[in-house]
Amino acid sequence: MISKETLFALSLFPYLGFLWFISRSTQMPRLALYGFYGTLVFVAVTIPAGIYAQVHYGKSLANVDWLHGGAEFFLTLSNILIVLGFGQAVISKSQE
């Protein structure tokens, strides 16, 4: 059975492929694209935060509220950018 850590690491490759393809699309709203790239920032913040939680508190990241909330902020920000980007695209398309 594959560990969840290995599966998490392997899942980055399809996501990077997704980012490569959508960044070349002329129809992808720029703000939404920034949001999708922001998900990588979330991952980059979550990994060291999880390690810090384990080393200093002996707990998983989900059980250290201030670290977990800080990491989740980046996911929330990414999601907001995606929604705003697609929202702007829908509005501009409906005005044509």
Side-chain angles (χ1 to χ4, degrees):
M1 181 86 162
I2 206 165
S3 72
K4 66 180 179 178
E5 291 81 12
T6 303
L7 187 59
F8 177 74
L10 290 175
S11 73
L12 287 175
F13 294 107
Y15 193 75
L16 291 173
F18 164 74
L19 288 175
W20 186 81
F21 281 109
I22 66 169
S23 65
R24 278 140 186 78
S25 171
T26 58
Q27 296 180 332
M28 175 59 66
R30 285 288 124 191
L31 195 56
L33 181 62
Y34 297 148
F36 284 120
Y37 274 101
T39 304
L40 286 180
V41 174
F42 162 71
V43 171
V45 168
T46 301
I47 293 169
I51 293 168
Y52 183 84
Q54 191 64 48
V55 169
H56 289 343
Y57 296 105
K59 298 179 179 181
S60 70
L61 179 60
N63 294 327
V64 182
D65 288 340
W66 73 273
L67 278 174
H68 188 239
E72 289 292 327
F73 166 77
F74 290 98
L75 182 60
T76 302
L77 182 61
S78 297
N79 289 337
I80 289 170
L81 291 175
I82 292 167
V83 168
L84 289 175
F86 282 119
Q88 287 176 350
V90 168
I91 290 168
S92 69
K93 196 70 168 176
S94 67
Q95 291 175 349
E96 289 180 2

